[in-house]
Structures are given as structure tokens and as C-alpha cells.
Amino acid sequence: MIDVLVVDDDFYVAEVNSRYVSRVPGFRVMGRARTAAEALMAVERGSVDLMLLDHYLPDEDGLQLVRRLRRLGHETDVIMVSAARGAEQVSSALRHGVLQYLVKPFGFAALRAKLTSYAQMRDRLDRLDSLGQGEVDEIFGTLHAPVQAVAPPKGYSAATTEHIRDALFRAGKALSAQEVADLTGVSRSTAQRYLKHLQERGSIQLALKYGGAGRPEHHYESAHGASRARPR
């Protein structure tokens, strides 16, 4: 089993990511950390093969933590997760030994693909004593293979699905179907249909908003980072 430490200060996001990891054969969550300090202590206790590391942490950002781990001699592998898409940050992650980089928001399929390619890389390295150029190219190709997009069900557009999911993520709060429709330019009924689809996929969550008399209104929020307004 590959032991994974999930590092994120948002409890809900950590819970979602932990469930994702636990669904991939060969992986198990050995712990969670909400700060860089907690993550470092977990690594120093041992038994951390892979760290699923959020970039924004309360005490230190993820890249600073990776640099500190390397200075201390810890070789724990790292998959960085962040909404930050700047070339400088991605370049810095690569230079400091981050194996893979997942841009939020992402679903289970994207993380599963990254974990699967990571497991395949470890398996090849464990089985081979010496590597020719062909084996080296195969290992690096497996690790950095593009994530294959999962086709949406019949009647759903992949572009609209991502547009609505991205609008919820950027809002940083729960929105009604009408608010989503206004933000994305689709009809309210279309927004409701796609929101239900995204909820069933686990990409967003339902939040009931209680107002005056009558039934509570359905609001929806991103499964990654919706509980905070700051960029992730």
C-alpha cells in the first residue's frame, strides 16, 4: 500500500480528497494535516510515501514546505494541488521536486489518473535494477501522461459542465441555480440540470438555505475551496 498524507487546512476539502484517495486501489490515507508544521511532523514520524499538498496553508505555503523538506533530507513524493495557474509557481514546483500538479477544481477521475501513473512509476522502479533510455522514457512518460477527460453523459456538454463548475469555484460561496444561470449565461432550467449532474458526480455539494416560510432553497457550492473566498 502507498501511504498518503492529505494536507489542506479546509476540513471539507481534506475530507473530499481523502475519500478520493481511498477509492484508488493500492492507496490509503495514513493521516491529514491542516498546517505545514503538522505535515512536517507527520513526515518526520515516518510512513508517508506521498503527500497530497495544498499550496495555501495558514503558516507556510506548500512550496516553502517542499523546500524545507528537501533541506532536511526528506524524500517524500509530492503532488501539489492549487487553483494557482501562474507559470512561475508551476515552474518552481517542478524545480523543487514536485512530481505532479493538479489545478483546482478537479474531480475524482483527474486525481485517480495522477495516483495511478504515480503507482505505475513506483512499480517500474521497484522491478528494474538498471534502466536503459527506453525504460527511463517510459517511466517519465507514464508519470506525466495527460489526464484523459471523462466524457459527460449523453445530453450534457463538457464545456458547459466545466463552465458551471468553474463559476461555482470562483464564487467561493454557495449559489442558487438562478445565480449560476446569471453568471454563466444559461437558462435556469439548464443550470439546474447541470448542477444536479455535478452533484451526483461529487464535484459540488448541495447546501440548503433556510429563509422565511416554505421549503428551503437549494444552493450549490464547489467541493474544492468553496468554503473560503480567497484563491486556492
Side-chain angles (χ1 to χ4, degrees):
M1 296 293 287
I2 296 173
D3 288 321
V4 182
L5 177 68
V6 176
V7 185
D8 199 301
D9 66 321
D10 186 307
F11 175 82
Y12 179 74
V13 173
E15 174 65 25
V16 170
N17 287 342
S18 296
R19 289 204 306 265
Y20 283 172
V21 170
S22 299
R23 289 170 60 187
V24 181
F27 290 83
R28 64 186 174 196
V29 176
M30 56 72 60
R32 299 182 195 171
R34 298 191 62 184
T35 66
E38 290 179 5
L40 178 58
M41 285 191 293
V43 171
E44 289 180 337
R45 286 194 297 267
S47 300
V48 179
D49 298 311
L50 176 67
M51 186 183 299
L52 189 63
L53 176 63
D54 185 43
H55 178 64
Y56 293 102
L57 298 171
D59 53 343
E60 184 177 47
D61 71 45
L63 289 178
Q64 289 174 323
L65 174 59
V66 172
R67 288 194 289 268
R68 191 142 62 98
L69 288 170
R70 300 304 180 239
R71 286 198 304 269
L72 293 171
H74 298 299
E75 298 180 351
T76 302
D77 293 325
V78 177
I79 295 178
M80 182 76 72
V81 295
S82 176
R85 308 178 186 207
E88 182 178 350
Q89 180 172 312
V90 175
S91 175
S92 182
L94 289 171
R95 288 197 304 270
H96 289 90
V98 172
L99 290 179
Q100 295 173 320
Y101 195 105
L102 265 175
V103 177
K104 291 182 176 181
F106 58 86
F108 170 65
L111 180 57
R112 178 180 58 192
K114 295 295 186 186
L115 294 178
T116 300
S117 64
Y118 171 76
Q120 290 172 347
M121 177 204 71
R122 284 176 55 108
D123 180 63
R124 284 185 171 89
L125 290 174
D126 288 343
R127 285 188 292 105
L128 299 174
D129 293 327
S130 62
L131 303 174
Q133 187 62 54
E135 288 86 4
V136 171
D137 290 343
E138 183 180 2
I139 288 170
F140 275 87
T142 297
L143 185 60
H144 299 291
V147 176
Q148 298 297 318
V150 178
K154 185 177 180 180
Y156 291 87
S157 159
T160 303
T161 300
E162 292 307 307
H163 187 36
I164 288 177
R165 188 174 71 164
D166 192 55
L168 273 177
F169 177 79
R170 291 180 182 278
K173 62 179 182 180
L175 300 176
S176 67
Q178 185 60 60
E179 288 171 325
V180 172
D182 293 340
L183 282 174
T184 58
V186 302
S187 68
R188 185 175 186 277
S189 61
T190 297
Q192 284 182 316
R193 188 162 62 91
Y194 276 84
L195 288 167
K196 183 177 180 181
H197 164 59
L198 285 166
Q199 182 195 355
E200 291 172 347
R201 254 176 48 175
S203 299
I204 66 174
Q205 63 173 344
L206 176 65
L208 298 180
K209 184 176 181 181
Y210 293 88
R215 298 173 61 185
E217 184 177 0
H218 286 190
H219 280 58
Y220 300 86
E221 59 186 352
S222 170
H224 287 279
S227 61
R228 64 189 68 189
R230 65 180 171 89
R232 297 289 294 165

